[in-house]
Amino acid sequence: TQKPLGLMKWCIEKTGVADGALILDPYMGSGTTGVAAVQMGRRFIGIEREPKYFDIAVRRIEQAQKQAEMFGHEDMQQVRHEQAALGI
């Protein structure tokens, strides 16, 4: 079941995950947690076994990353550097 983006942002905020910290979602689905993470300046790793949902999640998270870059999120350059170093 897809979760509302606002709910996932609330969860990230309430758990006290620091800016730039890594969030792991072992049941990624369509990637809502990943989108929330990117929009909030956190790094993200998602795991999804269904190719259909994985592809949807990748598109959504990539779009969120591009928007973050357009609006100059200060952590985004560091995130990209770390992703490149990890081969992501």
Side-chain angles (χ1 to χ4, degrees), residues 17-58:
V17 177
D19 286 349
L22 180 64
I23 295 173
L24 171 66
D25 184 356
Y27 308 100
M28 182 170 59
S30 64
T32 303
T33 303
V35 171
V38 167
Q39 288 181 352
M40 296 178 73
R42 276 57 168 195
R43 297 174 298 143
F44 177 76
I45 294 176
I47 301 167
E48 177 55 52
R49 66 182 234 169
E50 296 294 330
K52 173 185 170 182
Y53 291 108
F54 179 82
D55 291 342
I56 292 168
V58 167

mmCIF file of all heavy atoms in Angstrom, residues 17-58:
data_model
loop_
_atom_site.group_PDB
_atom_site.id
_atom_site.type_symbol
_atom_site.label_atom_id
_atom_site.label_comp_id
_atom_site.label_asym_id
_atom_site.label_seq_id
_atom_site.Cartn_x
_atom_site.Cartn_y
_atom_site.Cartn_z
ATOM 1 N N VAL A 17 16.208 11.358 12.437
ATOM 2 C CA VAL A 17 17.263 11.046 11.469
ATOM 3 C C VAL A 17 17.916 12.360 11.025
ATOM 4 O O VAL A 17 17.240 13.249 10.513
ATOM 5 C CB VAL A 17 16.693 10.284 10.254
ATOM 6 C CG1 VAL A 17 17.773 10.036 9.219
ATOM 7 C CG2 VAL A 17 16.059 8.979 10.686
ATOM 8 N N ALA A 18 19.201 12.483 11.241
ATOM 9 C CA ALA A 18 19.932 13.721 10.951
ATOM 10 C C ALA A 18 20.053 13.971 9.450
ATOM 11 O O ALA A 18 20.003 13.039 8.640
ATOM 12 C CB ALA A 18 21.324 13.651 11.572
ATOM 13 N N ASP A 19 20.240 15.238 9.091
ATOM 14 C CA ASP A 19 20.508 15.590 7.697
ATOM 15 C C ASP A 19 21.722 14.810 7.212
ATOM 16 O O ASP A 19 22.717 14.695 7.929
ATOM 17 C CB ASP A 19 20.784 17.083 7.553
ATOM 18 C CG ASP A 19 19.531 17.930 7.671
ATOM 19 O OD1 ASP A 19 18.424 17.367 7.655
ATOM 20 O OD2 ASP A 19 19.678 19.158 7.771
ATOM 21 N N GLY A 20 21.633 14.275 6.016
ATOM 22 C CA GLY A 20 22.732 13.521 5.435
ATOM 23 C C GLY A 20 22.831 12.083 5.898
ATOM 24 O O GLY A 20 23.633 11.322 5.379
ATOM 25 N N ALA A 21 22.017 11.696 6.876
ATOM 26 C CA ALA A 21 22.047 10.316 7.380
ATOM 27 C C ALA A 21 21.464 9.362 6.333
ATOM 28 O O ALA A 21 20.797 9.771 5.396
ATOM 29 C CB ALA A 21 21.263 10.210 8.681
ATOM 30 N N LEU A 22 21.721 8.102 6.526
ATOM 31 C CA LEU A 22 21.283 7.066 5.595
ATOM 32 C C LEU A 22 20.010 6.396 6.107
ATOM 33 O O LEU A 22 19.943 5.962 7.257
ATOM 34 C CB LEU A 22 22.381 6.013 5.436
ATOM 35 C CG LEU A 22 22.087 4.848 4.506
ATOM 36 C CD1 LEU A 22 21.898 5.328 3.075
ATOM 37 C CD2 LEU A 22 23.218 3.831 4.584
ATOM 38 N N ILE A 23 19.008 6.301 5.228
ATOM 39 C CA ILE A 23 17.758 5.622 5.538
ATOM 40 C C ILE A 23 17.687 4.372 4.671
ATOM 41 O O ILE A 23 17.896 4.436 3.462
ATOM 42 C CB ILE A 23 16.556 6.541 5.266
ATOM 43 C CG1 ILE A 23 16.600 7.726 6.221
ATOM 44 C CG2 ILE A 23 15.242 5.770 5.385
ATOM 45 C CD1 ILE A 23 15.567 8.777 5.955
ATOM 46 N N LEU A 24 17.373 3.241 5.281
ATOM 47 C CA LEU A 24 17.221 1.968 4.578
ATOM 48 C C LEU A 24 15.762 1.551 4.612
ATOM 49 O O LEU A 24 15.143 1.516 5.674
ATOM 50 C CB LEU A 24 18.070 0.881 5.252
ATOM 51 C CG LEU A 24 17.846 -0.549 4.746
ATOM 52 C CD1 LEU A 24 18.301 -0.684 3.298
ATOM 53 C CD2 LEU A 24 18.565 -1.540 5.635
ATOM 54 N N ASP A 25 15.216 1.255 3.437
ATOM 55 C CA ASP A 25 13.846 0.758 3.337
ATOM 56 C C ASP A 25 13.897 -0.620 2.666
ATOM 57 O O ASP A 25 14.067 -0.714 1.455
ATOM 58 C CB ASP A 25 12.986 1.715 2.513
ATOM 59 C CG ASP A 25 11.525 1.304 2.441
ATOM 60 O OD1 ASP A 25 11.174 0.222 2.966
ATOM 61 O OD2 ASP A 25 10.736 2.056 1.853
ATOM 62 N N PRO A 26 13.779 -1.690 3.447
ATOM 63 C CA PRO A 26 13.905 -3.033 2.871
ATOM 64 C C PRO A 26 12.679 -3.491 2.085
ATOM 65 O O PRO A 26 12.724 -4.540 1.456
ATOM 66 C CB PRO A 26 14.140 -3.915 4.095
ATOM 67 C CG PRO A 26 13.482 -3.191 5.207
ATOM 68 C CD PRO A 26 13.644 -1.721 4.893
ATOM 69 N N TYR A 27 11.609 -2.720 2.128
ATOM 70 C CA TYR A 27 10.376 -3.029 1.377
ATOM 71 C C TYR A 27 9.951 -1.771 0.650
ATOM 72 O O TYR A 27 8.908 -1.185 0.934
ATOM 73 C CB TYR A 27 9.281 -3.518 2.327
ATOM 74 C CG TYR A 27 9.752 -4.642 3.221
ATOM 75 C CD1 TYR A 27 10.137 -4.405 4.532
ATOM 76 C CD2 TYR A 27 9.850 -5.939 2.722
ATOM 77 C CE1 TYR A 27 10.589 -5.430 5.347
ATOM 78 C CE2 TYR A 27 10.302 -6.974 3.526
ATOM 79 C CZ TYR A 27 10.665 -6.708 4.838
ATOM 80 O OH TYR A 27 11.118 -7.726 5.631
ATOM 81 N N MET A 28 10.736 -1.341 -0.326
ATOM 82 C CA MET A 28 10.635 -0.031 -0.945
ATOM 83 C C MET A 28 9.334 0.239 -1.683
ATOM 84 O O MET A 28 8.873 1.369 -1.717
ATOM 85 C CB MET A 28 11.822 0.159 -1.901
ATOM 86 C CG MET A 28 11.871 1.486 -2.572
ATOM 87 S SD MET A 28 13.416 1.785 -3.448
ATOM 88 C CE MET A 28 13.498 0.451 -4.618
ATOM 89 N N GLY A 29 8.756 -0.775 -2.292
ATOM 90 C CA GLY A 29 7.526 -0.540 -3.047
ATOM 91 C C GLY A 29 7.747 0.507 -4.121
ATOM 92 O O GLY A 29 8.714 0.450 -4.872
ATOM 93 N N SER A 30 6.873 1.514 -4.175
ATOM 94 C CA SER A 30 6.971 2.542 -5.213
ATOM 95 C C SER A 30 7.892 3.690 -4.830
ATOM 96 O O SER A 30 8.001 4.663 -5.570
ATOM 97 C CB SER A 30 5.580 3.071 -5.568
ATOM 98 O OG SER A 30 5.001 3.722 -4.455
ATOM 99 N N GLY A 31 8.554 3.605 -3.675
ATOM 100 C CA GLY A 31 9.617 4.544 -3.356
ATOM 101 C C GLY A 31 9.241 5.795 -2.585
ATOM 102 O O GLY A 31 10.020 6.747 -2.546
ATOM 103 N N THR A 32 8.091 5.816 -1.932
ATOM 104 C CA THR A 32 7.676 7.018 -1.216
ATOM 105 C C THR A 32 8.667 7.415 -0.129
ATOM 106 O O THR A 32 8.992 8.595 0.028
ATOM 107 C CB THR A 32 6.264 6.837 -0.625
ATOM 108 O OG1 THR A 32 5.362 6.507 -1.687
ATOM 109 C CG2 THR A 32 5.790 8.097 0.060
ATOM 110 N N THR A 33 9.191 6.441 0.614
ATOM 111 C CA THR A 33 10.167 6.755 1.653
ATOM 112 C C THR A 33 11.429 7.344 1.029
ATOM 113 O O THR A 33 12.013 8.290 1.562
ATOM 114 C CB THR A 33 10.510 5.507 2.489
ATOM 115 O OG1 THR A 33 9.304 4.995 3.051
ATOM 116 C CG2 THR A 33 11.506 5.823 3.589
ATOM 117 N N GLY A 34 11.831 6.828 -0.112
ATOM 118 C CA GLY A 34 13.003 7.359 -0.809
ATOM 119 C C GLY A 34 12.806 8.784 -1.273
ATOM 120 O O GLY A 34 13.706 9.617 -1.152
ATOM 121 N N VAL A 35 11.621 9.075 -1.794
ATOM 122 C CA VAL A 35 11.315 10.444 -2.219
ATOM 123 C C VAL A 35 11.359 11.379 -1.015
ATOM 124 O O VAL A 35 11.963 12.459 -1.069
ATOM 125 C CB VAL A 35 9.942 10.509 -2.928
ATOM 126 C CG1 VAL A 35 9.520 11.948 -3.184
ATOM 127 C CG2 VAL A 35 9.981 9.724 -4.238
ATOM 128 N N ALA A 36 10.743 10.973 0.084
ATOM 129 C CA ALA A 36 10.751 11.788 1.306
ATOM 130 C C ALA A 36 12.180 12.007 1.788
ATOM 131 O O ALA A 36 12.557 13.129 2.158
ATOM 132 C CB ALA A 36 9.912 11.120 2.391
ATOM 133 N N ALA A 37 12.977 10.947 1.780
ATOM 134 C CA ALA A 37 14.365 11.045 2.233
ATOM 135 C C ALA A 37 15.143 12.058 1.398
ATOM 136 O O ALA A 37 15.824 12.936 1.932
ATOM 137 C CB ALA A 37 15.035 9.674 2.183
ATOM 138 N N VAL A 38 15.037 11.941 0.095
ATOM 139 C CA VAL A 38 15.753 12.846 -0.810
ATOM 140 C C VAL A 38 15.287 14.286 -0.603
ATOM 141 O O VAL A 38 16.107 15.205 -0.517
ATOM 142 C CB VAL A 38 15.549 12.400 -2.280
ATOM 143 C CG1 VAL A 38 15.998 13.480 -3.251
ATOM 144 C CG2 VAL A 38 16.302 11.106 -2.541
ATOM 145 N N GLN A 39 13.994 14.478 -0.504
ATOM 146 C CA GLN A 39 13.463 15.830 -0.322
ATOM 147 C C GLN A 39 13.896 16.446 1.001
ATOM 148 O O GLN A 39 13.952 17.665 1.130
ATOM 149 C CB GLN A 39 11.946 15.832 -0.428
ATOM 150 C CG GLN A 39 11.450 15.611 -1.830
ATOM 151 C CD GLN A 39 9.938 15.644 -1.946
ATOM 152 O OE1 GLN A 39 9.212 15.693 -0.949
ATOM 153 N NE2 GLN A 39 9.448 15.601 -3.178
ATOM 154 N N MET A 40 14.208 15.598 1.972
ATOM 155 C CA MET A 40 14.608 16.091 3.296
ATOM 156 C C MET A 40 16.123 16.081 3.499
ATOM 157 O O MET A 40 16.604 16.303 4.597
ATOM 158 C CB MET A 40 13.921 15.253 4.373
ATOM 159 C CG MET A 40 12.408 15.395 4.353
ATOM 160 S SD MET A 40 11.606 14.363 5.581
ATOM 161 C CE MET A 40 12.017 15.268 7.086
ATOM 162 N N GLY A 41 16.885 15.799 2.431
ATOM 163 C CA GLY A 41 18.342 15.853 2.522
ATOM 164 C C GLY A 41 18.981 14.650 3.168
ATOM 165 O O GLY A 41 20.091 14.739 3.684
ATOM 166 N N ARG A 42 18.286 13.504 3.139
ATOM 167 C CA ARG A 42 18.860 12.267 3.672
ATOM 168 C C ARG A 42 19.282 11.375 2.510
ATOM 169 O O ARG A 42 18.755 11.465 1.421
ATOM 170 C CB ARG A 42 17.830 11.510 4.518
ATOM 171 C CG ARG A 42 17.697 11.944 5.954
ATOM 172 C CD ARG A 42 17.364 13.370 6.122
ATOM 173 N NE ARG A 42 16.972 13.679 7.500
ATOM 174 C CZ ARG A 42 16.369 14.776 7.823
ATOM 175 N NH1 ARG A 42 16.073 15.683 6.926
ATOM 176 N NH2 ARG A 42 16.060 15.017 9.089
ATOM 177 N N ARG A 43 20.237 10.495 2.775
ATOM 178 C CA ARG A 43 20.627 9.491 1.783
ATOM 179 C C ARG A 43 19.659 8.322 1.906
ATOM 180 O O ARG A 43 19.021 8.149 2.946
ATOM 181 C CB ARG A 43 22.069 9.054 2.018
ATOM 182 C CG ARG A 43 23.043 10.209 1.827
ATOM 183 C CD ARG A 43 24.466 9.848 2.186
ATOM 184 N NE ARG A 43 24.520 9.495 3.599
ATOM 185 C CZ ARG A 43 25.294 8.528 4.094
ATOM 186 N NH1 ARG A 43 26.056 7.802 3.310
ATOM 187 N NH2 ARG A 43 25.294 8.269 5.379
ATOM 188 N N PHE A 44 19.575 7.509 0.865
ATOM 189 C CA PHE A 44 18.563 6.462 0.848
ATOM 190 C C PHE A 44 19.058 5.227 0.124
ATOM 191 O O PHE A 44 19.682 5.317 -0.931
ATOM 192 C CB PHE A 44 17.306 6.982 0.146
ATOM 193 C CG PHE A 44 16.218 5.956 0.021
ATOM 194 C CD1 PHE A 44 15.450 5.608 1.120
ATOM 195 C CD2 PHE A 44 15.976 5.317 -1.180
ATOM 196 C CE1 PHE A 44 14.454 4.656 1.025
ATOM 197 C CE2 PHE A 44 14.983 4.360 -1.295
ATOM 198 C CZ PHE A 44 14.222 4.033 -0.190
ATOM 199 N N ILE A 45 18.753 4.073 0.715
ATOM 200 C CA ILE A 45 18.923 2.779 0.048
ATOM 201 C C ILE A 45 17.590 2.055 0.163
ATOM 202 O O ILE A 45 17.036 1.939 1.259
ATOM 203 C CB ILE A 45 20.040 1.932 0.687
ATOM 204 C CG1 ILE A 45 21.397 2.595 0.495
ATOM 205 C CG2 ILE A 45 20.042 0.512 0.099
ATOM 206 C CD1 ILE A 45 22.542 1.878 1.181
ATOM 207 N N GLY A 46 17.077 1.593 -0.968
ATOM 208 C CA GLY A 46 15.822 0.859 -0.972
ATOM 209 C C GLY A 46 15.998 -0.511 -1.595
ATOM 210 O O GLY A 46 16.802 -0.696 -2.510
ATOM 211 N N ILE A 47 15.233 -1.458 -1.090
ATOM 212 C CA ILE A 47 15.267 -2.831 -1.603
ATOM 213 C C ILE A 47 13.851 -3.197 -2.018
ATOM 214 O O ILE A 47 12.905 -3.028 -1.244
ATOM 215 C CB ILE A 47 15.773 -3.805 -0.517
ATOM 216 C CG1 ILE A 47 17.176 -3.401 -0.053
ATOM 217 C CG2 ILE A 47 15.730 -5.252 -1.026
ATOM 218 C CD1 ILE A 47 17.621 -4.099 1.219
ATOM 219 N N GLU A 48 13.711 -3.704 -3.234
ATOM 220 C CA GLU A 48 12.395 -4.124 -3.726
ATOM 221 C C GLU A 48 12.585 -5.314 -4.655
ATOM 222 O O GLU A 48 13.375 -5.257 -5.586
ATOM 223 C CB GLU A 48 11.699 -2.973 -4.464
ATOM 224 C CG GLU A 48 10.370 -3.341 -5.069
ATOM 225 C CD GLU A 48 9.385 -3.946 -4.071
ATOM 226 O OE1 GLU A 48 9.151 -3.340 -3.003
ATOM 227 O OE2 GLU A 48 8.868 -5.043 -4.354
ATOM 228 N N ARG A 49 11.863 -6.391 -4.412
ATOM 229 C CA ARG A 49 12.031 -7.601 -5.216
ATOM 230 C C ARG A 49 11.170 -7.634 -6.471
ATOM 231 O O ARG A 49 11.447 -8.385 -7.397
ATOM 232 C CB ARG A 49 11.783 -8.843 -4.378
ATOM 233 C CG ARG A 49 10.368 -8.987 -3.905
ATOM 234 C CD ARG A 49 10.198 -10.201 -3.046
ATOM 235 N NE ARG A 49 9.108 -10.993 -3.605
ATOM 236 C CZ ARG A 49 8.805 -12.202 -3.264
ATOM 237 N NH1 ARG A 49 9.522 -12.820 -2.357
ATOM 238 N NH2 ARG A 49 7.802 -12.828 -3.808
ATOM 239 N N GLU A 50 10.127 -6.829 -6.527
ATOM 240 C CA GLU A 50 9.245 -6.794 -7.698
ATOM 241 C C GLU A 50 9.764 -5.781 -8.718
ATOM 242 O O GLU A 50 9.781 -4.580 -8.435
ATOM 243 C CB GLU A 50 7.820 -6.428 -7.287
ATOM 244 C CG GLU A 50 7.151 -7.431 -6.380
ATOM 245 C CD GLU A 50 6.911 -8.775 -7.058
ATOM 246 O OE1 GLU A 50 6.722 -8.801 -8.297
ATOM 247 O OE2 GLU A 50 6.928 -9.794 -6.355
ATOM 248 N N PRO A 51 10.197 -6.242 -9.899
ATOM 249 C CA PRO A 51 10.768 -5.322 -10.890
ATOM 250 C C PRO A 51 9.844 -4.148 -11.244
ATOM 251 O O PRO A 51 10.317 -3.025 -11.418
ATOM 252 C CB PRO A 51 11.010 -6.218 -12.111
ATOM 253 C CG PRO A 51 11.158 -7.589 -11.541
ATOM 254 C CD PRO A 51 10.233 -7.638 -10.348
ATOM 255 N N LYS A 52 8.562 -4.404 -11.324
ATOM 256 C CA LYS A 52 7.611 -3.337 -11.667
ATOM 257 C C LYS A 52 7.684 -2.193 -10.663
ATOM 258 O O LYS A 52 7.786 -1.021 -11.038
ATOM 259 C CB LYS A 52 6.191 -3.911 -11.701
ATOM 260 C CG LYS A 52 5.104 -2.885 -11.867
ATOM 261 C CD LYS A 52 3.730 -3.537 -11.767
ATOM 262 C CE LYS A 52 2.632 -2.490 -11.686
ATOM 263 N NZ LYS A 52 1.310 -3.099 -11.548
ATOM 264 N N TYR A 53 7.667 -2.523 -9.381
ATOM 265 C CA TYR A 53 7.701 -1.492 -8.350
ATOM 266 C C TYR A 53 9.092 -0.875 -8.223
ATOM 267 O O TYR A 53 9.226 0.321 -7.936
ATOM 268 C CB TYR A 53 7.220 -2.044 -7.008
ATOM 269 C CG TYR A 53 5.750 -2.341 -7.047
ATOM 270 C CD1 TYR A 53 5.273 -3.644 -7.080
ATOM 271 C CD2 TYR A 53 4.816 -1.312 -7.089
ATOM 272 C CE1 TYR A 53 3.920 -3.917 -7.140
ATOM 273 C CE2 TYR A 53 3.453 -1.571 -7.149
ATOM 274 C CZ TYR A 53 3.013 -2.883 -7.172
ATOM 275 O OH TYR A 53 1.674 -3.142 -7.240
ATOM 276 N N PHE A 54 10.119 -1.688 -8.429
ATOM 277 C CA PHE A 54 11.482 -1.156 -8.405
ATOM 278 C C PHE A 54 11.651 -0.077 -9.461
ATOM 279 O O PHE A 54 12.174 1.007 -9.184
ATOM 280 C CB PHE A 54 12.505 -2.278 -8.610
ATOM 281 C CG PHE A 54 13.917 -1.784 -8.626
ATOM 282 C CD1 PHE A 54 14.588 -1.544 -7.441
ATOM 283 C CD2 PHE A 54 14.574 -1.538 -9.819
ATOM 284 C CE1 PHE A 54 15.896 -1.071 -7.439
ATOM 285 C CE2 PHE A 54 15.876 -1.058 -9.828
ATOM 286 C CZ PHE A 54 16.531 -0.837 -8.646
ATOM 287 N N ASP A 55 11.189 -0.341 -10.678
ATOM 288 C CA ASP A 55 11.308 0.633 -11.767
ATOM 289 C C ASP A 55 10.543 1.917 -11.452
ATOM 290 O O ASP A 55 11.031 3.016 -11.721
ATOM 291 C CB ASP A 55 10.807 0.036 -13.080
ATOM 292 C CG ASP A 55 11.706 -1.068 -13.606
ATOM 293 O OD1 ASP A 55 12.871 -1.166 -13.173
ATOM 294 O OD2 ASP A 55 11.230 -1.857 -14.455
ATOM 295 N N ILE A 56 9.356 1.780 -10.881
ATOM 296 C CA ILE A 56 8.572 2.963 -10.488
ATOM 297 C C ILE A 56 9.339 3.765 -9.444
ATOM 298 O O ILE A 56 9.451 4.994 -9.535
ATOM 299 C CB ILE A 56 7.190 2.556 -9.949
ATOM 300 C CG1 ILE A 56 6.326 1.975 -11.086
ATOM 301 C CG2 ILE A 56 6.484 3.724 -9.266
ATOM 302 C CD1 ILE A 56 5.063 1.287 -10.603
ATOM 303 N N ALA A 57 9.872 3.080 -8.440
ATOM 304 C CA ALA A 57 10.605 3.748 -7.366
ATOM 305 C C ALA A 57 11.832 4.481 -7.898
ATOM 306 O O ALA A 57 12.094 5.622 -7.516
ATOM 307 C CB ALA A 57 11.008 2.740 -6.293
ATOM 308 N N VAL A 58 12.572 3.833 -8.775
ATOM 309 C CA VAL A 58 13.772 4.456 -9.342
ATOM 310 C C VAL A 58 13.399 5.751 -10.048
ATOM 311 O O VAL A 58 14.047 6.793 -9.844
ATOM 312 C CB VAL A 58 14.506 3.490 -10.297
ATOM 313 C CG1 VAL A 58 15.564 4.219 -11.116
ATOM 314 C CG2 VAL A 58 15.131 2.355 -9.516
#
